C-alpha cells in the first residue's frame, strides 16, 4: 500500500484513533538526546601542525580559495642528494632536527590565493606570457641561511648563479604582469632566487650561519665533481591540488 493510501486511511479514522496512533509513535520512537554531540560546520577545517612536522599554514583553509604559486621544478639526482645529506650532517651537529625539503624548486612567485573561477584564465595568461621565453641552463653559486617572513622556520638554501638570476628575473616580470591583472601580490622587488634544501622549525639563523663557510666549501667541492647545470625548458605552477607546466622556447 502506498504512503498516500496510508494517509487516506489515517484521515478516515476517528480523532480518538489518531490520538492513539500518535501516542504509539511517541512511545516507539523517543527523541534522542544530542546535547553531548558538538556541532561543527561542514566546511570547517582545523589545521594540525603535528601532521606536517610542526609547519603552520601561511593561509587559513577556506573552501573556494586555491593557494597557488609558480616555480621551477628541480630534478633530484644522487649527486644532489649526497650534497644535501652532507649539509644536513653539519647543520645537525648543533642538535636541531633538520628536515630535507620534499619538493626541490625555485619559487618564481609568492603563494597567492586564486578563486576557482579564475583558474582557467590565470593558467591561460601565464602560458601566453611565457611563450616567448627561451630555455636556459640553471646552476648554483653559493649556500645561504634564510628565515621565512614570520621567522617560524629556518632554511638552508642553494643560491642560483648570476646567469640564472638574470633569466629568472625575466620570467618573474612576465608572471608579475599576470598577477597584477588579478590584483594579486607581486614577487619581491629584489628577489634572491634560490632552492631550499633543508628546513628546521624556529629561527635558527644565528646558530647555523657560523657554518656558512663549510657549506660553501662543500658546494664548491661538489660543483667541481658532478653537480652540473640543468636545462630549464619548463615552468611549473601549482594551484591547489592541480599542476600545470608551460614550455619555454
Amino acid at each position: 500500500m502506498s504512503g498516500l493510501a496510508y494517509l487516506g486511511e489515517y484521515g478516515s479514522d476517528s480523532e480518538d484513533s489518531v490520538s492513539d496512533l500518535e501516542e504509539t509513535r511517541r512511545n516507539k520512537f523517543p527523541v534522542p538526546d544530542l546535547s553531548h554531540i558538538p556541532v561543527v560546520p561542514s566546511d570547517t577545517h582545523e589545521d594540525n601542525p603535528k601532521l606536517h612536522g610542526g609547519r603552520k599554514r601561511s593561509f587559513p583553509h577556506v573552501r573556494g580559495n586555491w593557494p597557488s604559486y609558480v616555480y621551477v621544478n628541480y630534478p633530484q639526482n644522487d649527486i644532489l642528494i649526497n650534497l644535501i645529506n652532507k649539509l644536513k650532517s653539519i647543520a645537525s651537529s648543533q642538535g636541531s632536527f633538520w628536515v630535507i625539503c620534499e619538493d626541490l624548486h625555485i619559487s618564481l612567485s609568492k603563494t597567492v590565493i586564486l578563486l576557482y573561477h579564475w583558474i582557467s584564465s590565470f593558467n591561460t595568461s601565464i602560458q601566453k606570457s611565457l611563450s616567448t621565453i627561451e630555455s636556459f641552463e640553471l646552476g648554483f653559486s653559493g649556500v645561504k641561511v634564510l628565515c621565512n617572513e614570520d621567522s617560524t622556520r629556518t632554511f638552508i638554501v642553494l643560491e642560483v648563479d648570476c646567469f640564472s638570476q638574470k633569466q629568472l628575473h625575466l620570467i618573474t616580470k612576465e608572471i608579475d604582469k599576470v598577477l597584477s591583472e588579478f590584483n594579486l601580490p607581486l614577487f619581491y622587488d629584489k628577489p634572491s632566487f634560490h632552492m631550499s634544501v633543508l628546513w628546521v622549525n624556529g629561527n635558527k639563523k644565528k646558530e647555523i650561519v657560523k657554518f656558512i663557510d663549510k657549506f660553501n666549501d662543500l658546494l664548491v667541492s661538489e660543483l667541481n665533481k658532478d653537480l652540473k647545470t640543468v636545462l630549464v625548458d619548463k615552468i611549473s605552477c601549482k594551484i591547489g591540488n592541480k599542476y600545470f607546466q608551460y614550455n619555454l622556447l
Side-chain angles (χ1 to χ4, degrees), residues 59-70 109-127 175-186 236-244 246:
F59 300 93
H61 176 86
V62 178
R63 180 174 294 181
N65 287 357
W66 294 63
S68 313
Y69 65 97
V70 187
S109 76
K110 295 180 180 179
T111 299
V112 299
I113 296 297
L114 292 180
L115 300 180
Y116 179 78
H117 61 277
W118 293 353
I119 294 177
S120 179
S121 56
F122 181 85
N123 180 46
T124 300
S125 295
I126 291 290
Q127 188 172 34
I175 295 172
D176 275 351
K177 291 178 183 177
V178 176
L179 292 171
S180 64
E181 293 175 4
F182 289 82
N183 292 319
L184 294 170
L186 307 184
S236 300
C237 181
K238 185 175 186 292
I239 302 177
N241 59 357
K242 300 177 183 293
Y243 290 86
F244 302 91
Y246 318 104

Side-chain angles (χ1 to χ4, degrees), residues 136-222:
F136 63 97
E137 294 286 335
L138 183 143
F140 300 108
S141 61
V143 181
K144 283 188 173 183
V145 179
L146 302 174
C147 283
N148 60 356
E149 292 183 7
D150 54 5
S151 294
T152 57
R153 282 199 286 168
T154 305
F155 297 87
I156 295 175
V157 310
L158 303 183
E159 188 175 31
V160 305
D161 59 29
C162 292
F163 175 75
S164 303
Q165 293 269 357
K166 292 179 180 179
Q167 297 301 110
L168 294 175
H169 263 293
L170 293 175
I171 294 173
T172 54
K173 284 183 179 179
E174 294 301 318
I175 295 172
D176 275 351
K177 291 178 183 177
V178 176
L179 292 171
S180 64
E181 293 175 4
F182 289 82
N183 292 319
L184 294 170
L186 307 184
F187 206 37
Y188 303 101
D189 290 335
K190 297 180 180 179
S192 172
F193 296 102
H194 59 268
M195 181 172 74
S196 298
V197 295
L198 293 164
W199 67 271
V200 68
N201 283 320
N203 188 340
K204 306 292 183 181
K205 189 172 181 179
K206 287 184 179 179
E207 64 187 59
I208 294 300
V209 75
K210 62 185 178 183
F211 295 120
I212 198 67
D213 289 338
K214 284 187 177 181
F215 291 155
N216 280 292
D217 288 344
L218 185 58
L219 176 63
V220 170
S221 175
E222 296 300 323

Side-chain angles (χ1 to χ4, degrees), residues 19-31:
S19 298
D20 292 341
L21 180 60
E22 290 178 348
E23 181 66 23
T24 301
R25 284 177 173 174
R26 284 196 293 268
N27 293 334
K28 190 174 181 180
F29 304 109
V31 178

Side-chain angles (χ1 to χ4, degrees), residues 48-104:
N48 186 357
K50 292 181 180 179
L51 300 178
H52 311 285
R55 291 173 291 174
K56 297 181 180 180
R57 285 181 176 270
S58 299
F59 300 93
H61 176 86
V62 178
R63 180 174 294 181
N65 287 357
W66 294 63
S68 313
Y69 65 97
V70 187
Y71 62 98
V72 174
N73 185 51
Y74 194 90
Q76 296 189 24
N77 56 65
D78 292 340
I79 305 299
L80 178 62
I81 295 302
N82 183 54
L83 169 63
I84 294 174
N85 282 324
K86 289 179 179 178
L87 293 172
K88 180 180 178 182
S89 179
I90 297 172
S92 299
S93 64
Q94 291 293 300
S96 298
F97 183 72
W98 287 85
V99 181
I100 297 177
C101 295
E102 295 176 359
D103 55 333
L104 300 178

